[in-house]
Amino acid sequence: MDSRIYITGIGIISASGNGIEATEASVSGGISGIGEIRYLSTGHRSFPTGEVPYSNEELAAMAGVLPTEDVRELRTVLLGIIAAREAMVSAGIGRAELLRTAFINGTTVGGMDYTERHFRETLDKSVGGEGCKALVYNDCGSATDLIAKTLGSFSMHTTVSTACSSAANAIIMGARMIKAGLVDRVVAGGTEGLSRFHLNGFNTLMILSESRCRPFDKNHQGINLGEGAAYLVLERGESMKKRGARPLAELMGYGNACDAYHQTATSAEGEGPFRAMSGALKMAGLNPDDIDYVNCHGTGTPNNDASELAAMRRVWIGCRLPHYSSTKGLTGHTTSASGAIEAVISVLALNEGFMPASAGCTEPMEEDYPPVMQTVRGCTLRYVMNNSFGFGGNDSSMILRNMASGERE
């Protein structure tokens, strides 16, 4: 019996493109989707963002949502529906397979982009007004409910909210559920729409950049927020073979750690990232120098970039350091959705044989260990690591295996 965890479907929408093909073309081509704010109603228009280039009305049409449904105003939900549906189509699963399929969604903003428009009227009016009715969508679990109900009758659905590691932890939770025999497969990932609360909060932390972000560059100034959604269909080998599905990659290992060093910062030595990456390698049964490429968390803040590289040097001490880059210079930092968006990009890199450039980096902060500066094409990647680090030190790493690298014992 094959009890390994395979990825049999992927779906994605972000500033870098709508769908798998568009995303692969833009990411491998180094085309950034970061630009001026177009759709978010905010006074902070000086901050570049990775907005998905569609209005709510256009997204609703793409998601197949009726004009009378409240869902049409919930950007996080619309993005989630679009990406999750593509993942399910990619995997070839329909409503019949959902009886043994779980939906696990990572998000933090949830319906805030909609409900924040009603805060003022809720305060100004008596309880029971239209504003109060809108607030039922504020909870991030409400977004998960709406996405799941739109897509079909899953055996169960739940929400993971651990800030920027949410989607990665949703994928990890899904793998654990499959290993425990609770379900045959999961649709796991995350979705996040931009909101004023979102943007204002990061601005208060003073970590937003007014120029394009530059992960791992000595002149990095901060992050560009982004939005989007991505999901992976994870499936046990036995179920996959029974359906005749084709694996895109294998999820070999994962690690999660919480160093609780600070509410928003990571320790200088990168203790949490070090433990997450080490745990993923141990589960996968791999040595550090087996990893060919790391899709880093790489936010472009001085704290993250320095601590992530410090942690990597600790993991790869005494052996070949892996190639690495951050794709947040292309998509923006999609916060709770980032782990899944970057996992999908990692699957594309494995299958299409490329390493994306660390967009925005022109002067590496560590000259003796620069990131991938230009897209590398035509390469054979066996194992890719994907890092996602969240506030509070909740850090996760995953390792994916190229199915063309040969069957492992």
Side-chain angles (χ1 to χ4, degrees), residues 258-276:
C258 190
D259 64 5
Y261 169 77
H262 185 272
Q263 294 97 321
T264 59
T266 305
S267 63
E269 64 276 11
E271 185 63 26
F274 170 77
R275 293 188 181 204

Side-chain angles (χ1 to χ4, degrees), residues 24 28 292-294 323-325 345-357 372 374-384 402 404-405:
E24 191 277 324
S28 65
D292 299 306
Y293 166 71
V294 180
H323 298 290
Y324 73 97
S325 68
I345 289 172
S346 295
V347 172
L348 293 174
L350 282 170
N351 283 278
E352 300 301 324
F354 71 91
M355 289 187 287
V372 176
Q374 299 290 333
T375 301
V376 178
R377 300 177 184 273
C379 56
T380 299
L381 300 176
R382 300 168 303 154
Y383 304 104
V384 167
N402 187 342
S405 64

Side-chain angles (χ1 to χ4, degrees), residues 177-243:
M177 289 182 64
I178 293 172
K179 287 183 176 181
L182 299 175
V183 290
D184 290 334
R185 70 194 67 82
V186 299
V187 179
T191 180
E192 202 93 294
L194 284 170
S195 69
R196 288 179 294 186
F197 184 86
H198 199 189
L199 189 69
N200 294 349
F202 278 88
N203 186 37
T204 300
L205 292 172
M206 297 184 290
I207 56 174
L208 292 181
S209 175
E210 292 192 343
S211 60
R212 295 283 182 91
C213 66
R214 306 174 192 178
F216 303 113
D217 189 277
K218 63 176 60 176
N219 298 308
H220 51 191
Q221 298 175 352
I223 72 174
N224 298 146
L225 280 177
E227 63 179 358
Y231 296 90
L232 293 79
V233 176
L234 306 180
E235 194 161 4
R236 69 168 71 250
E238 185 180 16
S239 170
M240 177 191 72
K241 291 172 182 176
K242 184 177 180 180
R243 293 196 308 114

Side-chain angles (χ1 to χ4, degrees), residues 114-373:
Y114 176 51
T115 59
E116 68 186 5
R117 297 179 232 161
H118 297 275
F119 286 162
R120 178 56 57 188
E121 66 182 79
T122 301
L123 291 173
D124 291 345
K125 294 181 180 180
S126 62
V127 175
E130 289 301 314
C132 287
K133 294 179 182 178
L135 293 183
V136 301
Y137 299 117
N138 195 67
D139 182 83
C140 55
S142 173
T144 302
D145 291 343
L146 291 168
I147 296 169
K149 290 174 182 176
T150 301
L151 296 174
S153 299
F154 290 93
S155 62
M156 63 85 68
H157 60 270
T158 192
T159 305
V160 175
S161 187
T162 56
C164 303
S165 59
S166 298
N169 286 336
I171 294 167
I172 291 172
M173 180 180 178
R176 287 173 171 164
M177 289 182 64
I178 293 172
K179 287 183 176 181
L182 299 175
V183 290
D184 290 334
R185 70 194 67 82
V186 299
V187 179
T191 180
E192 202 93 294
L194 284 170
S195 69
R196 288 179 294 186
F197 184 86
H198 199 189
L199 189 69
N200 294 349
F202 278 88
N203 186 37
T204 300
L205 292 172
M206 297 184 290
I207 56 174
L208 292 181
S209 175
E210 292 192 343
S211 60
R212 295 283 182 91
C213 66
R214 306 174 192 178
F216 303 113
D217 189 277
K218 63 176 60 176
N219 298 308
H220 51 191
Q221 298 175 352
I223 72 174
N224 298 146
L225 280 177
E227 63 179 358
Y231 296 90
L232 293 79
V233 176
L234 306 180
E235 194 161 4
R236 69 168 71 250
E238 185 180 16
S239 170
M240 177 191 72
K241 291 172 182 176
K242 184 177 180 180
R243 293 196 308 114
R246 182 178 70 89
L248 302 175
E250 179 187 353
L251 176 59
M252 286 192 67
Y254 42 82
N256 172 263
C258 190
D259 64 5
Y261 169 77
H262 185 272
Q263 294 97 321
T264 59
T266 305
S267 63
E269 64 276 11
E271 185 63 26
F274 170 77
R275 293 188 181 204
M277 289 186 279
S278 299
L281 285 165
K282 183 177 181 180
M283 176 180 284
L286 297 174
N287 295 316
D289 56 5
D290 288 324
I291 303 299
D292 299 306
Y293 166 71
V294 180
N295 187 311
C296 289
H297 189 58
T299 62
T301 64
N303 171 256
N304 173 89
D305 294 357
S307 64
E308 188 164 11
L309 288 183
M312 288 172 64
R313 287 185 183 274
R314 290 176 64 191
V315 173
W316 276 271
I317 189 169
C319 60
R320 175 189 60 84
L321 288 161
H323 298 290
Y324 73 97
S325 68
S326 168
T327 50
K328 287 184 173 67
L330 305 174
T331 64
H333 188 354
T334 56
T335 54
S336 291
S338 62
I341 285 174
E342 289 152 20
V344 167
I345 289 172
S346 295
V347 172
L348 293 174
L350 282 170
N351 283 278
E352 300 301 324
F354 71 91
M355 289 187 287
S358 202
C361 181
T362 57
E363 297 182 70
M365 57 185 288
E366 297 188 7
E367 295 180 0
D368 67 324
Y369 187 32
V372 176
M373 303 292 286

Side-chain angles (χ1 to χ4, degrees), residues 92-116:
I93 59 173
R95 291 180 179 265
E97 285 81 16
L98 296 188
L99 294 175
R100 288 284 298 170
T101 304
F103 178 64
I104 307 176
N105 185 43
T107 187
T108 302
V109 167
M112 285 183 192
D113 63 307
Y114 176 51
T115 59
E116 68 186 5

